[in-house]
Structure formats: structure tokens, C-alpha cells
Amino acid sequence: MLPEFAPRELFAESYDHAGTRALAREILMMGPSEYAAAFKGSAIKRATLWMLQRNACVVLGNVGTDEDLAVLEAMREHEHEVVREQAAWSIERLAHREYGS
């Protein structure tokens, strides 16, 4: 029999756009120690922190608002090129959505 898995507290409020955006921002602001603590004993740790941060940038590019621009701008300085590129894409996407371009 498989063990029963309870959802992580981190995901408790991520069932709508506001919750999804908040979760993405939280992941983007995590450092290695926060990541390790949040996902200790979880299969999600197969994805490294920078991989989740890249995905969080995608989320904000798809459902984010201008309130998310500051954290995306910070990710433009990320050590991993993939995260930097995704942050730039997300910022551009939000700018076009806001101005209807």
C-alpha cells in the first residue's frame, strides 16, 4: 500500500490566480536553505531550485500582473541563464498584456 501524502503547506493557497502568483513569488525568493526546508522528503526535490524558479517565471508570465514585475526583475540577475531568459520573457509578456501590444 502506498503511503498517504498530505499537501505541503506551501501549496495550500495556490488554487486560484492570486494563490498561484503568491506561490511563484515565494519560490522565486527562496534561497537554497528555504528550498531544502520547504521540500524536505519530497520528490519535488528532483527539480533543483533554479529549475523551479524558471517554472515560477513562466507562471508569472502567464498569470502575473504588474505587481510581479519587481521579483521578475530581480531574477534577471539570477546565476542561471535559463532563469534570466525566462524572467525577461515574462517581463516582456506582462508589458505587452498591460499595454495591449
Side-chain angles (χ1 to χ4, degrees), residues 15-92:
Y15 51 85
D16 62 10
H17 278 187
T20 301
R21 288 177 44 239
L23 175 60
R25 286 192 309 270
E26 188 169 348
I27 289 171
L28 289 174
M29 294 184 287
M30 280 183 176
S33 61
E34 292 93 0
Y35 170 73
F39 297 109
K40 183 179 181 180
S42 169
I44 203 164
K45 284 186 71 175
R46 291 180 189 146
T48 63
L49 177 57
W50 73 264
M51 291 174 180
L52 287 180
Q53 289 173 326
R54 181 255 179 215
N55 292 351
C57 287
V58 172
V59 167
L60 292 180
N62 287 317
V63 299
T65 69
D66 60 343
E67 295 173 0
D68 303 311
L69 288 171
V71 72
L72 287 168
E73 286 290 346
M75 289 296 107
R76 292 179 82 166
E77 302 297 322
H78 198 278
E79 65 181 310
H80 288 277
E81 181 179 5
V82 174
V83 178
R84 293 191 305 266
E85 289 173 354
Q86 195 59 59
W89 174 86
S90 297
I91 291 166
E92 182 70 19

